[in-house]
Amino acid sequence: MTQPPSSTANAVLSICLGLVRAAGHVAPGSERRTWGAEWEAEVLHRWAELEKRREATGRGPGAFESLDLLGRSAGALAHAIWLRREEWRFDVLMQDIRYALRGLIKRPVFSAVVIGTIMLAIGANAAIFSVLNGVLLQPLPFENPEGLVMVWEHNIPRANPTNVVSGANFVTWREESSSFEDLAAITWFSQNLVEGEDAERVGVVSVNASFFPLLGVNAAHGRVFLPEDDRAGDGPRPILLSHGFWQRRFGGSSNVIGRTLNLNGFELPVIGVLPEGFRFDFLPYSFNATGTQDIWMPQQFPDEIRDASGRWLQVLGRLEPGTSIERAQTEMSTLASRLEMEYPDRQSGWTVNVVSLQEQVVGEARTPLLILFGAVAFVLLIACANVANLLLSRSVGRQQEVALRTALGASRLRLVRQLLTESSILALAGGALGLGLAFVLVDALLRLGPDIPRLADVSVSGPVIAFTLGISALTGLVFGLAPALRASRPDLAGSLKEGGARAGRSGGLLRARSALVVAEVALALILLVGSGLLLRSFANLLDLGVGFETDGLITAEVALPGRVYEEEADRVQFFEELVGRVRSIPGVSAASAITFLPLAGSGSATSFWANDRPVPEPGELPVADLRWVHQDYHRTLGIPVIRGRLFDGRDTRDVPLRIVISEALARDLWPSEDPIGRTISMPWGDTLVAEVIGVVGDVRHQGPETEARDKIYWHHLQWQDWSGMTIVARTSGDPSMHVGSIRAELRAMDSNLPLFNVSTMTDLLGEALAARRFTMLVLGLFALVALLLASVGVYGVMSYGVSQRTQEFGVRMALGASARAVAMQVVKGGLRLVLIAVAIGGLGALALSRLMQSLVFEISTSDPVTFALAALFLAAVAAAACYWPTHRAGRVDPIEALRFE
């Protein structure tokens, strides 16, 4: 028994016949009826064959047969164009271009406005696409980048999926996993380079010998590391120089190979120079004290690494050919479960997270960039609507010309092609100028933009140029098609008899222009709501702050080489004296020091437990940030004291360990009790016990939008475990004016120590907010451009409407209507358009604003206040755009209006 044809099959037949009928409008008029009948017969014949097969087999047309039939039907358009091949000769095309150019040159103001509008829109699109292409679309600059992954430890109780890795686990992974060709461990730090009397702090990256083969990178000069370089021994570690550091420090001299450099008091031999442009600085934790990658050295693990419990490594891997990330994730999760059973003290609550390197690099940048690209696409659509409005207005004045050409035998297709040629020339001219503007905008983005991953790869490249040409051509079609179709259908009798006057009063034209303005205003409202949400989020961040006063603070790092300052007492004494010297500088009101400065990116942490509470299981121990500070640190930064006291002269090496904790930690451990005098323990060696002597306000270490984590502060006099600290000084006036004095005091103590990472705290806060500020400003700029274009569109429609109703207004006023009544009628028409647009735009903004969830802070994406303010502001601007047309309508002279008719 055969089955009846399905609704899907009937839909396919309807689409095929529709394609043929649409192509019939292109076929020559003399052949159109016969041509259409033949093509429809061909489609129906093919369909009948498929129906016979269905009756014989009981199976309807499959996907392949349906696509084949659709392809045959689409071929009708190609055949129709081929029949008109004489009209597409090169000489005919050049004739259209010459005619279009003459017409545009005769109207320079009109042409300049259209080209300028398109230039701004396409230039902005090309610039943002350049960033999108360089950051998101281009593959990473390594060999077979799709196989590269990052392997992290995942602390499940703390919901941290990208935690650094312990050395013990890395060694086990490398020996026992089968999903990877190889793994490489990475650490970042900095050291003092001393050359004669010149001292400099340089960024150092330590990697396994497998790191460079994993990326497919070789040395430009000399060699990279070998497996034997990974083995710890008595000899010095070999080092590689980055290309930029080699050029800057040694002038690109080939004699640098074999030379030794003094790093932290050790003479290390240079074995190679890396290729120009090589960098690996776009990961979380990919920082050191200088933010550079000047020197690379091998990652050498001691024999006791298998017993180490600390976590400090980043791990890069390359998947075996044919191995998916999912399979690697399954294997590593199984391996983590086994390690958790074998080492519950250090592995409880830990698993593994495998992430593609591409996703790791660009994951956080994807949403903001896509939102900006969507916003700039909206601006282009608004620009197209504005230009289409201009072309529709111009079509009124061309009705007589088009009617005359039609009367002389020009086909409608010929007229449409001529008009589309004009719009394409305008679009391509605007696109060419927009491409030049894109070079300027991209340069500005590179200079002023935030620290976006892979920003150095952004340029106006071949794909960007192709994209610009493509959207220029598409833009010409989008804004030119509707005016061309309308203008190519003239009222011959009316246009030839009255010179186009009757055609100029077409209500259809006004409705078309009004629809375009509604679309413009709706899109502008969506952008206004988005920028309003970001603006209010930014204001919330500034109100929240970071927990201390950033104004007037200057910061600078100092690191002591371990070979020179081996004893803890020497390090303690050095920083005590340096802080005292800085405090004595004129204009400095307070000075102190800390191991990990807020807003600087780095940090350290420790697990702990309260001694008056049950000890948690190993995998459930709480974790707090740990900071070593000089005793005046909290006073210098203005961090408030909540309970107890700060460090003072009583807290020396000779007394039991004392700590100051943050309010968040006190609230977590003792929510309704006084924490002063209580003790906590930390699993360091034989377990450290510390007494709480004070509670201070919370500090948001990574910036205002991050949580204030639990913090423990140690007095550096009681334990100077770190060789480096950041000096913090509160000054009067410009903080940067005191850098020279601080550097002079340091040189007086040790001329071989560089002062580095010098910055004001205000600048650090600005860097922490840079990405959010950048997105807010760019989206706000696009919203303002959209608002300007929309207001121009409203003005144009209202002005056109008034000009077409001049006689009507004259009659009304002659019959006794007041100027106010006439003006109010115009206002109502304009506000009706705006209200429709606001309703449509509000719904669109409500739907699209949910995409901004990750970009807003302490505000809902459907915040009614933001929506209301954006709508009111847009309505006010639109009302202002209605003012002059309304004013003109109220001043119509009835006699002049009637005389005009």
Side-chain angles (χ1 to χ4, degrees):
M1 179 178 178
T2 60
Q3 298 178 352
S6 66
S7 59
T8 302
N10 288 329
V12 171
L13 178 59
S14 299
I15 292 173
C16 292
L17 292 175
L19 289 174
V20 170
R21 289 165 187 150
H25 293 288
V26 180
S30 59
E31 304 177 28
R32 186 169 300 161
R33 185 181 299 275
T34 304
W35 178 92
E38 290 178 352
W39 267 97
E40 287 191 16
E42 169 68 19
V43 171
L44 291 172
H45 174 71
R46 178 61 179 162
W47 184 258
E49 291 182 347
L50 295 177
E51 282 292 291
K52 289 180 182 179
R53 182 184 304 175
R54 179 184 65 79
E55 293 175 357
T57 62
R59 183 176 62 85
F64 178 79
E65 289 86 354
S66 298
L67 289 175
D68 178 66
L69 187 60
L70 286 169
R72 288 172 180 265
S73 303
L77 178 61
H79 185 230
I81 294 174
W82 182 81
L83 291 175
R84 288 184 174 270
R85 58 190 179 279
E86 289 298 317
E87 299 179 22
W88 296 94
R89 297 194 317 269
F90 179 76
D91 58 327
V92 177
L93 178 62
M94 291 304 299
Q95 180 184 357
D96 285 348
I97 293 175
R98 286 194 297 269
Y99 183 82
L101 288 173
R102 284 198 300 268
L104 295 175
I105 291 172
K106 288 179 181 178
R107 300 171 180 83
V109 175
F110 171 84
S111 301
V113 170
V114 171
I115 291 174
T117 302
I118 297 302
M119 176 193 71
L120 290 174
I122 288 184
N125 271 269
I128 297 299
F129 181 76
S130 297
V131 178
L132 197 72
N133 179 63
V135 174
L136 298 184
L137 303 182
Q138 291 299 311
L140 295 175
F142 307 122
E143 182 179 296
N144 299 324
E146 63 280 356
L148 295 172
V149 295
M150 294 299 296
V151 189
W152 304 99
E153 291 206 64
H154 180 184
N155 188 293
I156 298 174
R158 298 168 203 145
N160 182 6
T162 55
N163 200 90
V164 285
V165 177
S166 74
N169 287 346
F170 169 74
V171 173
T172 303
W173 294 351
R174 202 174 186 192
E175 292 175 349
E176 300 186 21
S177 65
S178 61
S179 297
F180 305 100
E181 288 185 15
D182 208 340
L183 297 170
I186 312 166
T187 51
W188 311 76
F189 51 96
S190 61
Q191 292 187 342
N192 293 339
L193 171 67
V194 180
E195 288 285 313
E197 297 183 356
D198 186 17
E200 178 185 356
R201 192 71 175 179
V202 293
V204 182
V205 189
S206 182
V207 297
N208 293 103
S210 57
F211 175 81
F212 295 107
L214 281 176
L215 299 178
V217 173
N218 211 333
H221 303 279
R223 67 172 178 88
V224 294
F225 303 134
L226 301 175
E228 51 265 30
D229 295 325
D230 283 353
R231 292 191 284 270
D234 297 332
R237 293 187 187 187
I239 58 174
L240 296 166
L241 307 183
S242 72
H243 192 276
F245 180 74
W246 173 57
Q247 291 285 344
R248 175 175 61 83
R249 187 80 190 200
F250 302 102
S253 171
S254 58
N255 295 330
V256 73
I257 306 298
R259 180 175 177 174
T260 60
L261 300 184
N262 186 321
L263 286 177
N264 271 23
F266 293 90
E267 297 291 333
L268 305 181
V270 177
I271 63 168
V273 177
L274 292 172
E276 183 177 4
F278 172 75
R279 64 189 187 280
F280 199 79
D281 57 355
F282 32 60
L283 296 178
Y285 319 113
S286 61
F287 53 76
N288 48 41
T290 64
T292 58
Q293 301 174 32
D294 301 313
I295 293 175
W296 298 70
M297 63 175 54
Q299 187 84 252
Q300 295 180 346
F301 295 129
D303 294 336
E304 57 271 18
I305 187 67
R306 294 181 183 276
D307 299 321
S309 59
R311 290 174 165 84
W312 71 96
L313 300 173
Q314 296 179 88
V315 177
L316 171 73
R318 179 178 289 280
L319 296 172
E320 287 280 2
T323 299
S324 66
I325 290 180
E326 292 74 18
R327 177 182 170 186
Q329 179 66 65
T330 300
E331 182 195 27
M332 297 303 288
S333 297
T334 303
L335 184 55
S337 299
R338 198 202 79 201
L339 291 174
E340 185 175 17
M341 295 176 62
E342 293 180 6
Y343 306 100
D345 289 346
R346 75 176 190 223
Q347 289 298 121
S348 181
W350 291 88
T351 185
V352 180
N353 185 27
V354 183
V355 185
S356 75
L357 183 60
Q358 179 81 19
E359 179 63 25
Q360 187 73 66
V361 171
V362 304
E364 293 186 1
R366 180 178 286 109
T367 298
L369 288 180
L370 290 178
I371 287 176
L372 289 180
F373 189 66
V376 79
F378 278 11
V379 171
L380 180 59
L381 289 176
I382 294 172
C384 287
N386 245 358
V387 173
N389 252 328
L390 290 172
L391 291 177
L392 283 171
S393 297
R394 187 184 171 206
S395 69
V396 174
R398 302 187 67 179
Q399 287 294 296
Q400 188 177 22
E401 170 200 344
V402 174
L404 182 60
R405 296 185 67 184
T406 302
L408 292 176
S411 67
R412 188 182 182 199
L413 180 63
R414 183 73 175 81
L415 293 172
V416 169
R417 193 179 72 185
Q418 175 62 58
L419 296 172
L420 283 179
T421 300
E422 295 182 13
S423 64
S424 297
I425 290 174
L426 291 170
L428 291 174
L433 293 175
L435 187 62
L437 178 63
F439 280 93
V440 177
L441 294 177
V442 167
D443 184 65
L445 290 174
L446 295 178
R447 294 175 182 273
L448 305 176
D451 189 17
I452 299 174
R454 304 190 67 194
L455 197 60
D457 295 333
V458 172
S459 64
V460 183
S461 57
V464 177
I465 295 174
F467 168 81
T468 305
L469 292 176
I471 63 170
S472 298
L474 182 62
T475 297
L477 182 64
V478 168
F479 72 68
L481 185 59
L485 290 175
R486 188 191 181 284
S488 64
R489 194 168 46 209
D491 175 7
L492 291 181
S495 297
L496 293 174
K497 186 169 88 173
E498 301 183 33
R502 183 184 301 172
R505 292 194 290 270
S506 171
L509 176 60
L510 186 60
R511 286 192 295 272
R513 297 192 65 190
S514 298
L516 289 172
V517 166
V518 167
E520 288 183 58
V521 176
L523 291 173
L525 180 62
I526 293 174
L527 294 182
L528 276 177
V529 169
S531 60
L533 290 172
L534 293 186
L535 180 62
R536 294 197 63 195
S537 296
F538 196 76
N540 290 340
L541 285 171
L542 294 181
D543 289 342
L544 184 63
V546 288
F548 58 89
E549 294 295 329
T550 59
D551 294 339
L553 287 175
I554 187 71
T555 71
E557 290 190 50
V558 177
L560 307 178
R563 196 166 189 179
V564 179
Y565 296 88
E566 296 183 20
E567 300 298 326
E568 180 184 345
D570 295 337
R571 297 194 293 271
V572 169
Q573 178 58 37
F574 180 92
F575 284 110
E576 282 291 300
E577 181 181 347
L578 180 58
V579 169
R581 284 173 172 264
V582 173
R583 189 187 297 118
S584 66
I585 294 174
V588 174
S589 57
S592 187
I594 185 174
T595 47
F596 296 103
L597 186 72
L599 305 178
S602 55
S604 64
T606 182
S607 54
F608 68 95
W609 64 88
N611 291 321
D612 59 348
R613 300 285 192 273
V615 180
E617 295 298 321
E620 299 176 358
L621 288 174
V623 173
D625 292 342
L626 187 59
R627 304 289 183 264
W628 283 258
V629 299
H630 183 273
Q631 68 182 30
D632 293 327
Y633 172 74
H634 298 94
R635 295 189 188 91
T636 302
L637 265 70
I639 301 173
V641 180
I642 308 300
R643 289 177 180 266
R645 66 175 179 87
L646 299 176
F647 298 121
D648 57 29
R650 291 170 285 178
D651 307 307
T652 65
R653 182 73 173 179
D654 301 325
V655 300
L657 183 61
R658 295 166 178 170
I659 58 173
V660 171
I661 63 175
S662 65
E663 188 177 9
L665 192 151
R667 186 169 52 249
D668 290 342
L669 289 183
W670 302 285
S672 58
E673 304 172 61
D674 186 357
I676 305 303
R678 299 178 187 269
T679 61
I680 65 171
S681 293
M682 291 164 279
W684 287 40
D686 295 330
T687 302
L688 291 174
V689 179
E691 177 191 357
V692 178
I693 63 170
V695 178
V696 295
D698 292 328
V699 171
R700 297 176 181 268
H701 186 77
Q702 301 291 354
E705 58 188 305
T706 60
E707 278 190 41
R709 290 163 52 100
D710 295 348
K711 284 188 175 54
I712 297 173
Y713 298 95
W714 285 6
H715 196 321
H716 86 114
L717 288 179
Q718 291 199 297
W719 191 317
Q720 181 62 40
D721 191 52
W722 292 87
S723 60
M725 297 189 83
T726 299
I727 304 300
V728 187
R730 185 167 293 281
T731 68
S732 57
D734 183 2
S736 59
M737 297 293 292
H738 301 277
V739 174
S741 300
I742 298 174
R743 183 171 281 114
E745 296 294 343
L746 177 62
R747 285 189 175 275
M749 295 179 63
D750 189 335
S751 60
N752 287 329
L753 295 180
L755 191 72
F756 59 98
N757 273 7
V758 179
S759 179
T760 66
M761 192 65 78
T762 302
D763 289 341
L764 291 177
L765 178 60
E767 291 173 9
L769 296 173
R772 186 176 288 275
R773 180 190 290 112
F774 174 78
T775 306
M776 177 191 69
L777 291 177
V778 174
L779 187 59
L781 178 62
F782 292 158
L784 289 177
V785 172
L787 183 65
L788 176 63
L789 292 175
S791 62
V792 170
V794 171
Y795 172 81
V797 167
M798 298 302 298
S799 181
Y800 176 81
V802 169
S803 66
Q804 298 306 305
R805 299 176 67 186
T806 300
Q807 181 200 5
E808 174 194 339
F809 293 152
V811 171
R812 286 176 179 271
M813 296 178 73
L815 294 176
S818 67
R820 177 183 176 85
V822 170
M824 287 303 297
Q825 186 178 11
V826 175
V827 169
K828 288 178 182 178
L831 292 182
R832 187 183 303 114
L833 291 180
V834 173
L835 290 176
I836 294 173
V838 166
I840 296 173
L843 293 175
L846 189 63
L848 295 177
S849 62
R850 300 183 187 280
L851 301 176
M852 301 179 61
Q853 188 64 54
S854 62
L855 300 181
V856 299
F857 182 78
E858 291 193 349
I859 188 174
S860 169
T861 54
S862 57
D863 177 56
V865 174
T866 303
F867 274 71
L869 289 176
L872 289 173
F873 182 63
L874 185 61
V877 172
C882 293
Y883 173 77
W884 284 111
T886 302
H887 181 70
R888 184 153 50 90
R891 294 173 62 87
V892 169
D893 185 343
I895 296 177
E896 290 296 325
L898 295 175
R899 181 181 300 157
F900 170 78
E901 180 60 20

